Amino acid sequence: MNTKELLNLTSRGAIWNLGNKMLYRLCQDYPDHKSPEVITAKIWLIGRSYAAAIERGKKKEQDVDSFYESRVVPKIQRSHLDQHLDEVRQFSEICFESIPIILKTHKYLTDLFAKISGQEKRSLASKYLHFHCPSLFFLYDSRAVRGARALCPRFRVDMPTDNVDAEYANFFLRVVHLRNKIQKNERRLLSTREMDNILFNVGL
């Protein structure tokens, strides 16, 4: 598939635009993690909307309400998530300087979600961070990974091992490489959302 054909995939899925705008607006209006109501709303709505709920796979003897009240909310309140978000928000785009901070922030949130749920939640972490910093984080899930590998099958990069989640870092850098290739050929820099649309459609 050439780069011109990939551009045709950037606008697919337009029926979800309004719902996504609501999630962007939620995180814009309530950017921090102090209020239990705000934390619950953001984790619940983003997780459920993107099939990455933090409660998925939890022990059945604990109901969802008590899981949020006793684990999700207090652990996020006591975390340093807002400090990490403040650090990454100094950047408005993906670039050489921002990539280490982006990957460190994703690693921190992935580890935090693992402490809360006992499971890997790198997909939820990527989606949660995307809605807080839309220009910096690509959405990670099995479809996106398939799409990225199909479009950049020979991609290799020497990756730092400190402060990164290797799975997401490899995926992220692969997508950056693909976006740079499209920009070079088509003289157009695609947004993270446009790249997500390409990957999701190729990875179906």
Side-chain angles (χ1 to χ4, degrees):
M1 187 174 287
N2 62 45
T3 52
K4 288 190 182 300
E5 291 173 319
L6 294 179
L7 289 182
N8 293 330
L9 301 178
T10 58
S11 59
R12 289 202 183 171
I15 61 169
W16 303 107
N17 287 351
L18 180 58
N20 286 323
K21 284 181 182 178
M22 298 293 185
L23 295 177
Y24 289 127
R25 183 62 182 270
L26 174 64
C27 296
Q28 179 182 336
D29 289 349
Y30 300 96
D32 62 29
H33 296 82
K34 297 179 177 65
S35 162
E37 291 84 359
V38 168
I39 293 170
T40 299
K42 292 194 293 185
I43 294 289
W44 171 50
L45 291 173
I46 294 171
R48 290 289 185 94
S49 297
Y50 275 80
I54 196 167
E55 66 268 23
R56 178 181 288 181
K58 70 173 183 61
K59 295 180 180 178
K60 292 185 178 180
E61 60 265 23
Q62 186 176 27
D63 63 66
V64 172
D65 287 356
S66 65
F67 178 66
Y68 273 78
E69 291 171 359
S70 66
R71 291 192 63 79
V72 177
V73 169
K75 285 188 177 294
I76 291 177
Q77 282 181 315
R78 292 195 298 266
S79 76
H80 299 291
L81 177 55
D82 285 336
Q83 292 94 313
H84 282 269
L85 285 172
D86 287 343
E87 184 179 12
V88 79
R89 283 184 182 122
Q90 69 183 293
F91 300 102
S92 60
E93 61 184 15
I94 296 169
C95 59
F96 180 79
E97 292 79 11
S98 66
I99 286 175
I101 309 302
I102 291 169
L103 296 180
K104 182 179 76 169
T105 303
H106 178 269
K107 165 70 170 170
Y108 178 81
L109 187 55
T110 300
D111 289 348
L112 176 60
F113 284 163
K115 290 174 184 176
I116 293 170
S117 68
Q119 300 178 26
E120 287 187 342
K121 295 287 180 180
R122 69 173 54 91
S123 177
L124 176 59
S126 74
K127 293 164 181 177
Y128 196 78
L129 290 168
H130 171 82
F131 282 102
H132 286 80
C133 305
S135 64
L136 301 178
F137 292 90
F138 301 112
L139 303 180
Y140 173 100
D141 64 15
S142 58
R143 288 185 306 165
V145 170
R146 285 195 300 270
R149 288 176 177 168
L151 294 171
C152 291
R154 296 181 180 84
F155 178 78
R156 294 289 184 276
V157 65
D158 291 329
M159 202 155 29
T161 56
D162 295 335
N163 293 322
V164 302
D165 173 69
E167 289 279 343
Y168 184 74
N170 184 278
F171 164 79
F172 181 93
L173 295 173
R174 191 185 297 256
V175 180
V176 170
H177 175 76
L178 175 61
R179 188 168 76 157
N180 290 342
K181 178 181 176 182
I182 295 172
Q183 182 183 18
K184 181 179 179 181
N185 291 347
E186 305 299 332
R187 298 184 179 181
R188 176 183 167 191
L189 181 63
L190 299 185
S191 69
T192 55
R193 173 59 67 177
E194 288 174 319
M195 291 303 301
D196 294 334
N197 286 342
I198 289 173
L199 299 177
F200 289 163
N201 281 283
V202 172
L204 283 174

